[in-house]
Amino acid sequence: MPPSQAALRRIVPAIVLAAIAASPSRAAPPAVPPVAPPPIAPPPIAPPPIAPPPIAPPAAPDCADDGAPYDPAALRDRVAHLASAELDGRASGSPGDAAGRTYLAGRFRCLGLIPAGVDGSYAQPFLADGQPTANLIGILPGDDAAAGGDIILVGAHHDHLGNGRLGANDNASGVAALLAIAQALHQRGKPRRTIAFVAFGGEELGLLGSRYFAGHPPAALPLDRIVYDINLDMVGSYASAGAVYAMGTFRGLPATPIVKALAAEHPALHVGIGGRGVGSDHDPFCRAGIPYVFFWTPDRRCYHERCDTLERLDTAHLGAIAAFAGELVVRLSDTPGDLAASRRRSGCTGR
């Protein structure tokens, strides 16, 4: 989001705010959710009169097997590409934005994801402040006769600010984690529930891509079938505060006990559980009653600054966070519980 909206990026309780009070970055919550302020009316979203950008030829056919999905070196390489000087921060409508989307479409293709954009492509085009951009959408279908119609959405925004602000942590890190999860699930075989992978555009201009998706869901991904949203935004700065936060994990929601169990299984990773983060791409889905888990790491110094570069990325913990989120997706997909009924009963806030 633009710096003028940075104060709305996250709402946090006093316990964590005291620990990172010196930071201008997004703040993180503890286990007790704070009360969110009234939402600011978002800017209008223009319809998509543009054609999707051309999709590059497929990436190497063996990219689904090009190493361990959560290997920190592989994650670093993908962040290095997205946060390169050549892409100059992937600002919406810029050449770097188009090049980043072309790269993502190639990765989606070689990972075997089914396109869910327009005209058989991965792209769902829209205008962000008058600039052409797009969401990239790929599907890994579920194979369970009863639960395969449920959809778990894994999302991360691919845009940043440009003008020398390269956005390695915000949010090339989240996109790299999303690709790693897609690779891990591809290697694992068909999931029980359908998994949709969405790289959103226009997040920095006011969540425009996720809002456009929620207002114009692809035919294959109707909102009433989306039972969970896993949002990955700024997951590469664990070392800044020694924590990753898994927000949206409220009492009574199906992901909450899974996240708690995973946290106990990974004691070296400090996971903050609970709290409601605002100002990221899970917001439009929560407004539609879809529960979410929002993974985020604070960044004390470089939020929306030019120092958000590859050199400051905490790749070791990025791999661990991506693996944690990927295992959450697997367990949600495999759970025998009725996620659709839970959504109807509890929405995104639990009980």
Side-chain angles (χ1 to χ4, degrees):
M1 297 177 66
S4 62
Q5 298 187 37
L8 294 179
R9 291 291 291 196
R10 309 287 181 264
I11 300 300
V12 301
I15 297 175
V16 174
L17 186 60
I20 59 173
S23 174
S25 66
R26 307 172 185 181
V32 180
V35 177
I40 293 178
I45 302 175
I50 57 171
I55 297 175
D62 62 344
C63 75
D65 299 313
D66 60 357
Y70 304 118
D71 173 50
L75 288 162
R76 181 182 177 87
D77 287 346
R78 284 158 202 160
V79 172
H81 180 84
L82 291 165
S84 65
E86 290 75 17
L87 269 60
D88 190 27
R90 313 173 306 282
S92 293
S94 69
D97 172 30
R101 287 184 277 121
T102 296
Y103 168 77
L104 291 174
R107 293 294 302 184
F108 277 21
R109 180 179 291 107
C110 78
L111 290 171
L113 301 182
I114 296 174
V118 301
D119 298 330
S121 76
Y122 293 103
Q124 182 189 44
F126 63 96
L127 293 179
D129 283 7
Q131 299 301 315
T133 188
N135 300 323
L136 281 299
I137 309 168
I139 298 173
L140 185 61
D143 69 351
D144 186 89
D150 292 348
I151 300 164
I152 297 168
L153 190 150
V154 181
H157 74 89
H158 62 73
D159 65 306
H160 194 54
L161 299 174
N163 192 26
R165 289 169 289 185
L166 303 182
N169 185 39
D170 188 9
N171 183 39
S173 66
V175 174
L178 178 149
L179 293 173
I181 294 170
Q183 181 185 352
L185 288 171
H186 182 92
Q187 292 177 354
R188 187 175 184 267
K190 288 189 176 182
R192 182 168 183 252
R193 289 178 169 87
T194 293
I195 314 297
F197 295 90
V198 186
F200 294 108
E203 190 269 358
E204 300 289 7
L205 298 176
L207 314 184
L208 299 186
S210 53
R211 287 172 49 215
Y212 188 84
F213 182 103
H216 307 82
L221 301 172
L223 284 192
D224 61 4
R225 284 177 44 203
I226 298 176
V227 295
Y228 244 99
D229 174 39
I230 308 301
N231 183 21
L232 302 155
D233 192 356
M234 293 176 56
V235 290
S237 56
Y238 180 94
S240 181
V244 57
Y245 293 90
M247 293 176 253
T249 43
F250 303 124
R251 190 167 71 92
L253 295 180
T256 302
I258 298 175
V259 170
K260 289 180 178 179
L262 286 168
E265 293 168 19
H266 299 84
L269 193 67
H270 178 73
V271 181
I273 297 173
R276 178 180 181 182
V278 299
S280 190
D281 284 318
H282 60 278
D283 278 0
F285 298 99
C286 181
R287 292 174 188 272
I290 298 169
Y292 65 91
V293 178
F294 170 30
F295 288 97
W296 170 75
T297 58
D299 187 349
R300 291 184 181 278
R301 290 182 47 217
C302 293
Y303 172 63
H304 282 188
E305 299 294 339
R306 293 188 179 187
C307 56
D308 182 8
T309 61
L310 179 69
E311 289 69 30
R312 294 191 71 254
L313 205 69
D314 183 351
T315 50
H317 286 104
L318 172 58
I321 292 166
F324 189 107
E327 183 59 26
L328 170 61
V329 173
V330 168
R331 295 189 189 186
L332 278 174
S333 174
D334 288 347
T335 183
D338 191 335
L339 298 184
S342 176
R343 174 194 157 167
R344 290 191 296 270
R345 181 175 62 250
S346 302
C348 72
T349 57
R351 63 174 188 269

